[in-house]
Amino acid sequence: MKGIMTLVLVLLVVLSFGRSSECRNVKVLDQYSSKYSAMSCREHTASITDFGGVGDGTTSNTKAFQAAINHLAEIAADGSGAQLFVPPGKWLTGSFNLTSHFTLFLHKDAVLLASQDENDYPLLMPLPSYGRGRDGKEKDAIVGRYSSLIFGTNLTDVIVTGENGTIDGQGALWWKKYKKGQLKYTRPYLIEIMHSNQVQISDITLLDSPSWNVHPVYSSNVIIKGLTIIAPTDPVSPNTDGINPDSCSNVLIEDCYIVSGDDCVAVKSGWDEFGIAYAMPTQHLTIRRLTCISPDSAVIALGSEMSGGIQDVRAEDITAIHSESGIRIKTAVGRGGFVKDIFVRRMTMQTMKWAFWMTGNYGSHADDHYDPKALPVIQGISYSDMVAENVTMAARLEGIDGDPFTGICISNVTIGMAAKAKKVPWTCTDVSGGTNGVSPSPCDSLPGQAKTCPFPTEALPIESVELKACSLSVPARKS
Ligand SMILES: *[C@@H]1O[C@H](CO)[C@@H](O)[C@H](O)[C@H]1NC(C)=O
Ligand SMILES: *[C@@H]1O[C@H](CO)[C@@H](O)[C@H](O)[C@H]1NC(C)=O
Ligand SMILES: *[C@@H]1O[C@H](CO)[C@@H](O)[C@H](O)[C@H]1NC(C)=O
Ligand SMILES: *[C@@H]1O[C@H](CO)[C@@H](O)[C@H](O)[C@H]1NC(C)=O
Ligand SMILES: *[C@@H]1O[C@H](CO)[C@@H](O)[C@H](O)[C@H]1NC(C)=O
């Protein structure tokens, strides 16, 4: 045993002498290989260090990332695809753009550190379905918003994944500036993918985003899975929504753990007259096995920007802990659009203010030009097979006068009220529907009925996409 150890030691010494005499000051990086599952595998592989990247936490890697991706875009253009490996280290970077047939792969000990310098985020036009950014004064908000840290538009087949490697938004400075009104433009998100098809964002950890974390918009065939999203809870980190599918179709969100200062998942589709004109709904969305802690917001919110419509959302096996509300519909006069065919089942809630909340007077308009005759249609909302504990109010359901929310169905839901619960557990105005096996006893506008609530039996196409077993292999190399 001792003999072998000595031999190994001698070998190591000889090897390292050999290296340092051969090329002084040159670090030899370990070779690395890994397996992961993805919608598509890639033929070509490069490391950020091949493009001058330095993972010391202080060197800016914005140019290295963009150079790497531009280079790989050419190689991958024939569809063979390319993947960019980010090794262990702290990689400070500003915004960079992804490309098609491309995978960004983070090693488990890789941390992308988001620059806190506004100049590292190019200005983009406001989203057409929003007409303006959400932060900043109107005159600025209508001309620009900061690009997300990781941005992609008009892409096909793009993946951001890893071994739970980290993207650290370093949001504290942004939150402070936002609260002091010192920001001219809307804060960057961590990941925004726009006008794209076949998108996968999986197995990464997102920390302290300046604002929303993951924003797929105007995209279809999107898989988001295995994300851990963490930000301090409100009021420290304003608007740090977890995942915001926005005017997207055929989307699967699964196995995510989210603790944040705003809604864990917020389903959206544009704002007032801009969203109505753009008319692109979010539809065919499955959310499953989500665990959420959101003390001041919702586990799943629909809206408030829903002017392009939201239809066919299925959520199941959801765990809510210490959250303000379980499922919340937010809308207002002037939004137009619709929220239809929403199905939620098997949700477990522990310590909630409201299990169910619907708000018809959310307000918060893009500008003063919204159409007061544009009334949202809220119809066909089904909640079933749920247990909640330590709840302050079972439900607060507020439709719109002259525009009631209809077809609300709640079945097999048991809500355990908190010791200090409100005396009246349900308040309902301008809503209609029915209930079956619900306690405490619901309001009169949701009378008992014989039938239980529906849930679609056919899976969405995105749920049957089989991920492939991909591998990534980086040879030993010098830097
Ligand atoms: C990314 O693409 C957008 C839209 O094409 C562009 O405006 C922006 O400048 C690009 N960002 C970078 C860092 O090149
Ligand atoms: C991106 O796609 C959108 C929607 O199809 C289109 O309007 C826009 O012109 C495209 N942009 C680019 C740069 O190709
Ligand atoms: C990533 O995190 C999830 C959840 O904590 C864990 O189940 C999984 O094993 C982790 N994967 C890797 C490669 O570390
Ligand atoms: C019940 O909720 C209250 C807050 O409303 C919290 O302080 C308390 O710890 C919770 N109790 C349990 C048993 O979870
Ligand atoms: C009612 O919901 C609970 C909790 O999800 C579930 O365990 C139970 O099977 C449901 N009952 C029926 C009759 O579906």
Side-chain angles (χ1 to χ4, degrees), residues 62 66 94-98 120-125 147 151-154:
T62 315
Q66 204 60 72
S95 170
F96 60 86
N97 285 347
L98 302 174
D120 283 333
Y121 299 82
L123 281 186
L124 301 183
M125 289 299 289
S147 176
F151 179 74
T153 191
N154 300 71

Side-chain angles (χ1 to χ4, degrees), residues 424-448:
V424 182
W426 293 73
T427 57
C428 305
T429 47
D430 304 300
V431 297
S432 69
T435 51
N436 175 313
V438 175
S439 82
S441 195
C443 45
D444 294 342
S445 46
L446 302 176

Side-chain angles (χ1 to χ4, degrees), residues 346 385-387 412:
R346 298 197 303 254
D385 303 338
M386 301 186 185
V387 178
N412 185 27

